[in-house]
């Protein structure tokens, strides 16, 4: 077997370094960069909402594609945080003066724990139903 063929043919988005970089690392870096106080709340709202939505949609797609355990949890988590970010940025959700810090800390701690802990206890992938030959 050729080197790298296994990861290239895998339905797991995370096994493809380019896709993982584009769908997860670039959005995460965008959040980190715009978390700086030099960026306005408007820019932060747009960038964080778009970045979290991208990561959430990619996780949900990955859960469907390959049944990656943590993607079932992180997908909805990132989508929820995208909604919180949008609503806070629009002034609908009052999180106080340190709202961006609270959201950022929640994203960081949630992403780390929700990516690692589920797979530690449940394994990397949910098993498919061999009897029916489809995903359950």
């Amino acid at each position: 077997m050729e080197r790298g063929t296994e990861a290239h043919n895998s339905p797991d988005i995370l096994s493809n370094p380019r896709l993982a970089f584009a769908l997860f690392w670039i959005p995460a870096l965008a959040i980190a960069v715009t978390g700086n106080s030099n960026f306005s709340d408007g820019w932060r709202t747009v960038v964080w909402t778009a970045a979290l939505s991208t990561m959430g949609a990619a996780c949900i797609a990955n859960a469907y594609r390959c049944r990656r355990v943590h993607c079932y949890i992180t997908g909805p988590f990132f989508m929820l945080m995208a909604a919180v970010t949008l609503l806070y940025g629009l002034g609908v959700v009052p999180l106080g003066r340190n709202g961006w810090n609270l959201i950022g800390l929640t994203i960081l701690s949630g992403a780390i724990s929700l990516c690692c802990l589920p797979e530690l206890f449940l394994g990397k992938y949910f098993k498919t139903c061999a009897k029916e030959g489809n995903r359950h």
Side-chain angles (χ1 to χ4, degrees), residues 30-44 47-48 100:
I31 290 170
V33 168
T34 56
N36 184 317
S37 62
N38 292 333
F39 288 88
S40 70
D41 288 352
W43 273 111
R44 193 172 298 132
V47 171
W48 288 27
W100 289 113

Side-chain angles (χ1 to χ4, degrees), residues 2 10 30 39 74 110 122:
E2 289 181 38
S10 173
F39 288 88
T74 55
L122 300 172

Side-chain angles (χ1 to χ4, degrees), residues 2 12 47 59-60 76 85 95 103 108 132:
E2 289 181 38
D12 188 351
V47 171
C59 284
I60 291 168
T85 298
L95 297 176
I103 293 170
L108 180 62
E132 295 181 22

Side-chain angles (χ1 to χ4, degrees), residues 14-35:
L14 296 172
S15 69
N16 183 322
R18 288 183 180 149
L19 271 178
F21 185 76
L23 296 173
F24 297 103
W25 288 107
I26 289 176
L29 287 170
I31 290 170
V33 168
T34 56

